[in-house]
Amino acid sequence: MTAAAMPFCVSAQATDLEVTHWWTSGGEAAAVAELAKAFDATGNHWVDGAIAGSGGVARPIMISRITGGDPMGATQFNHGRQAEELVEAGLMRDLTDIAEAGKWKEVVNPPSLLDSCTLDGKIYCVPINIHSQQWLWLNNDVFKKAGLEVPKNWNEFAAAAPKLEEAGIVPLAMGQQPWQTSLAFQVLLVAVAGPDTYNKVYGDKDAELAASDALAPVFEAAVQARDMSKKSNVQNWNDATSMVITGKAAGQIMGDWAQGEFQIAGQTAGKEYTCLPGLGMNEVIQTGGDAFYFPKVDDAAINEAQGVLANVMMSPETQVAFNLKKGSLPVRGDVDLTAANDCMRKGLDILAKGNIIQAPDQMMSADSVQQINDLFVEFFNDPSISAKDVQTRFAAIVADAE
């Protein structure tokens, strides 16, 4: 059996392997350190290629390097169709033999995660985690100081906004990068209209439903979110999370990766902060997340190190260590998570019930997702755009989506 096919091994030859990703916040860096430590323990060396500025900034750089003949050893993308064209162009390594040797199909849960790595029956990536966007993070102390109960759902949170503003608190922290404003809308759609409606709009590209009166409350909730976040003058998601941690803001709609920032700040889930999956209205887990692809290279040592890293990332030990720091859920359904915190346990319970939805990246092309991102960054920055106007424009994008 070759080193690349073994479940976990020490490489016969130490190799430097450049790994590119966009994890640069405090919590993210702590999680990446776990991957690097596990890989270095094999005798190889993780060469960190962090690119600041989120996926929207990093992905074009990564793609340009791969298509330009300067590939890294491994690179992060989100689950779904972001790397589809690179795979179709024959620029990504086929990992099917490694996946079969490691019995990934037997341990990855839900199966849709591995499906998102598969094209024409071949597996091209390692799903590393399950990251769900469907969360509302709340600073408990802020509400108590304002004489309010900690909200149990989005409606209670929105109702508390006027009193929070009177107390000088920004109700909703929100960074202004396109993916963050689009994320907030997607989460509101699931929370207000339900997962079935979300699946029909993003999965079935049901433009008639997207334009219907049935979805009007979603866009009205988006207007609420815009009003509540109007004084949130930050760009990065972790800066918005910091506003919640420090009490400058009451809450944030953000994925479960926000947990890493609370942990770095020494805060405990259920004590200093509250997490509401599905905004407390429709509790689901979105099965998006991160995956690593391995560009094709003509170097035997790099090829061997790629195989070792693929196995390291899927190993039970790394899955636990990485995801506990990242705030995400492991892709393996057979690992011990007795150390999981309150929020992770909520996520695991929802996952166990099978209340899952796919991420937009798994259902729409990268171009269609980008059009929606661009629409909502404009909407959240321009109060003159009405709920009806943005709904009409959103429905038009859905009608043309691929």
Side-chain angles (χ1 to χ4, degrees):
M1 181 179 288
T2 66
M6 292 178 68
F8 206 74
C9 60
V10 176
S11 176
Q13 176 180 342
T15 302
D16 288 345
L17 193 72
E18 182 191 9
V19 185
T20 55
H21 59 87
W22 56 81
W23 290 326
T24 57
S25 76
E28 290 172 328
V32 171
E34 295 293 339
L35 296 180
K37 181 171 70 174
F39 182 61
D40 288 355
T42 68
N44 294 288
H45 178 58
W46 174 289
V47 179
D48 200 67
I51 302 172
S54 80
V57 174
R59 277 190 297 273
I61 297 171
M62 296 165 173
I63 292 169
S64 178
R65 282 190 54 183
I66 295 167
T67 57
D70 180 30
M72 61 294 290
T75 188
Q76 172 196 9
F77 284 106
N78 294 122
H79 296 321
R81 300 172 60 182
Q82 290 178 353
E84 191 172 69
E85 292 182 1
L86 295 173
V87 172
E88 291 174 341
L91 297 173
M92 289 301 193
R93 178 176 173 176
D94 178 359
L95 303 176
T96 306
D97 58 337
I98 297 173
E100 289 178 348
K103 299 182 179 179
W104 292 2
K105 287 186 178 180
E106 295 179 20
V107 298
V108 173
N109 181 52
S112 61
L113 297 172
L114 205 55
D115 291 343
S116 292
C117 287
T118 304
L119 190 67
D120 296 331
K122 296 180 179 180
I123 296 170
Y124 289 93
C125 68
V126 182
I128 188 75
N129 58 14
I130 304 170
H131 257 323
S132 182
Q133 300 179 358
Q134 316 295 316
W135 296 85
L136 177 61
W137 305 90
L138 303 171
N139 180 315
N140 293 346
D141 195 46
V142 161
F143 290 94
K144 293 172 185 174
K145 286 182 177 178
L148 295 163
E149 293 290 326
V150 177
K152 295 182 177 61
N153 56 52
W154 170 259
N155 291 333
E156 291 182 8
F157 178 53
K163 199 163 184 180
L164 291 168
E165 289 178 328
E166 287 175 13
I169 304 298
V170 176
L172 181 64
M174 185 180 296
Q176 294 305 305
Q177 292 162 324
W179 69 270
Q180 294 184 65
T181 49
S182 183
L183 179 151
F185 169 75
Q186 293 159 14
V187 174
L188 285 166
L189 193 158
V190 178
V192 175
D196 289 344
T197 298
Y198 166 83
N199 287 331
K200 289 174 183 175
V201 171
Y202 279 88
D204 299 338
K205 321 298 188 295
D206 190 335
E208 185 176 345
L209 175 59
S212 72
D213 290 342
L215 248 68
V218 174
F219 295 90
E220 290 162 6
V223 170
Q224 280 183 314
R226 181 175 65 188
D227 291 343
M228 292 166 67
S229 64
K230 61 181 179 292
K231 292 184 179 179
S232 177
N233 299 315
V234 295
Q235 287 293 313
N236 298 319
W237 71 267
N238 52 304
D239 292 330
T241 307
S242 179
M243 290 179 66
V244 180
I245 291 171
T246 58
K248 294 177 182 176
Q252 179 189 22
I253 297 173
M254 187 48 59
D256 49 17
W257 50 90
Q259 280 193 83
E261 303 305 300
F262 286 98
Q263 290 183 53
I264 288 291
Q267 296 195 358
T268 302
K271 184 179 177 184
E272 287 91 357
Y273 68 97
T274 291
C275 53
L276 297 178
L279 309 191
M281 298 172 75
N282 274 293
E283 294 189 352
V284 296
I285 287 294
Q286 186 169 287
T287 58
D290 303 291
F292 279 84
Y293 288 77
F294 298 82
K296 284 185 178 178
V297 293
D298 187 19
D299 185 312
I302 294 294
N303 287 334
E304 180 179 355
Q306 287 177 330
V308 171
L309 180 57
N311 281 313
V312 164
M313 287 179 163
M314 189 58 75
S315 74
E317 299 86 354
T318 308
Q319 279 282 302
V320 172
F322 171 78
N323 284 294
L324 285 177
K325 290 284 178 67
K326 191 70 168 63
S328 46
L329 301 178
V331 300
R332 294 185 68 117
D334 61 349
V335 295
D336 180 11
L337 282 169
T338 54
N341 68 17
D342 179 67
C343 296
M344 184 179 281
R345 290 188 186 284
K346 288 181 181 178
L348 290 168
D349 287 344
I350 295 167
L351 187 64
K353 293 173 184 174
N355 295 340
I356 59 175
I357 56 173
Q358 289 187 300
D361 290 321
Q362 294 171 285
M363 298 189 287
M364 282 188 175
S365 68
D367 180 63
S368 297
V369 170
Q370 187 59 51
Q371 289 180 52
I372 294 172
N373 288 354
D374 291 343
L375 171 62
F376 281 97
V377 78
E378 181 183 353
F379 168 77
F380 273 94
N381 280 282
D382 185 354
S384 71
I385 301 175
S386 69
K388 186 61 180 174
D389 289 340
V390 73
Q391 183 174 5
T392 299
R393 292 173 62 181
F394 174 74
I397 295 173
V398 172
D400 293 334
E402 298 177 352

